[in-house]
Amino acid sequence: PQGPEEAKAFVNAFLKRSMPKMKDEAIQDILTRKAVVLEHYRKKKTKQRKKKTKGFTAKQRREMRLFEIEPEQQRYAIFLPLHELWKQYIRDLCHGLKPDVQPHMIQGKLLKADLHGAIVTVTKSKCPSYVGITGIILQEFKHVFKIITKEDKLKVVPKLNNVFSLEIDGFVSYIYGSKFQLRASERSAKKFKLKGTIDL
């Protein structure tokens, strides 16, 4: 059996362990009361950060030649089925391209549509050598289109200072490349404002 001094020492030690943030004076003040409310401290769990898997850098992609099309694959005939798929995609997107559909509605949908597989023609350009280039868009980047022509030549055409025409089921749309310098993924979320005349 413990005496009063041992019991007091035990209680003091117990309270110090249970309430480590409190000073001795505060503990003695608590002891003068009849009821003691013990505090519970939870140990803070250190959260383990999940490591994000990093993709390839632009330099690594260039070194690995991920976006380059092999010379033996640079044939217009290979990509004609892609163009047929694109036409069906646009028809579904524009609900059939009926004659009574408002042109600005189709134009608005084409601005946000994926253009991989579309046949485009450079109609205006500040560089005369680009005018007349016609072919299927194989790749779209922020600043350029990669186009395969009927002569099986891969052309890299900048968007800046070029106007492209795009025809589907009799509807002709014009793309002003200078206002179109976005990646395909960014363009789908962008709100385009209708403007009057646009110069190169």
Side-chain angles (χ1 to χ4, degrees):
Q2 288 183 340
E5 291 301 320
E6 288 91 343
K8 188 176 180 182
F10 169 78
V11 171
N12 279 326
F14 176 75
L15 289 175
K16 276 187 181 181
R17 268 201 317 275
S18 301
M19 297 182 284
K21 292 184 179 180
M22 294 194 76
K23 294 180 180 178
D24 290 345
E25 295 82 9
I27 290 173
Q28 291 302 322
D29 184 53
I30 289 171
L31 282 171
T32 59
R33 302 172 191 171
K34 288 183 180 179
V36 176
V37 180
L38 299 178
E39 297 175 16
H40 177 65
Y41 291 96
R42 287 185 181 178
K43 289 183 180 179
K44 289 183 179 179
K45 291 182 180 179
T46 54
K47 290 183 180 178
Q48 291 182 349
R49 290 184 180 179
K50 291 181 180 179
K51 290 183 179 179
K52 291 183 180 178
T53 52
K54 290 183 179 180
F56 295 118
T57 62
K59 186 181 178 182
Q60 287 172 327
R61 286 196 292 265
R62 282 194 297 272
E63 287 171 353
M64 294 172 73
R65 303 175 68 188
L66 288 178
F67 296 117
E68 289 189 24
I69 299 166
E70 297 297 328
E72 60 270 16
Q73 298 295 323
Q74 295 176 15
R75 301 212 322 270
Y76 185 82
I78 291 175
F79 297 100
L80 279 173
L82 176 65
H83 174 60
E84 292 302 317
L85 284 172
W86 180 83
K87 285 200 294 187
Q88 190 56 51
Y89 154 67
I90 293 298
R91 288 181 189 127
D92 294 342
L93 186 69
C94 300
H95 308 293
L97 286 170
K98 295 173 185 176
D100 57 342
V101 176
Q102 295 294 327
H104 65 84
M105 188 273 288
I106 298 173
Q107 183 74 38
K109 288 188 180 291
L110 283 175
L111 283 172
K112 296 187 176 189
D114 191 333
L115 298 178
H116 293 91
I119 292 179
V120 293
T121 303
V122 182
T123 53
K124 288 182 184 179
S125 177
K126 284 192 175 181
C127 180
S129 62
Y130 287 127
V131 177
I133 292 176
T134 303
I136 299 171
I137 294 177
L138 298 189
Q139 291 173 311
E140 180 188 355
F141 298 98
K142 186 173 183 178
H143 298 291
V144 297
F145 286 124
K146 279 191 179 181
I147 298 170
I148 187 81
T149 65
K150 288 183 179 179
E151 294 78 30
D152 295 337
K153 290 182 179 178
L154 188 66
K155 302 279 186 180
V156 180
V157 183
K159 293 178 181 180
L160 187 66
N161 298 328
N162 285 324
V163 179
F164 304 85
S165 68
L166 184 152
E167 189 271 332
I168 178 168
D169 294 347
F171 181 84
V172 181
S173 178
Y174 291 94
I175 297 168
Y176 289 83
S178 301
K179 308 292 179 184
F180 217 66
Q181 295 190 81
L182 296 162
R183 293 181 182 87
S185 56
E186 294 171 355
R187 197 177 69 244
S188 62
K190 182 176 170 61
K191 288 184 179 179
F192 290 92
K193 292 180 181 178
L194 293 173
K195 296 184 179 178
T197 56
I198 303 173
D199 294 326
L200 279 178

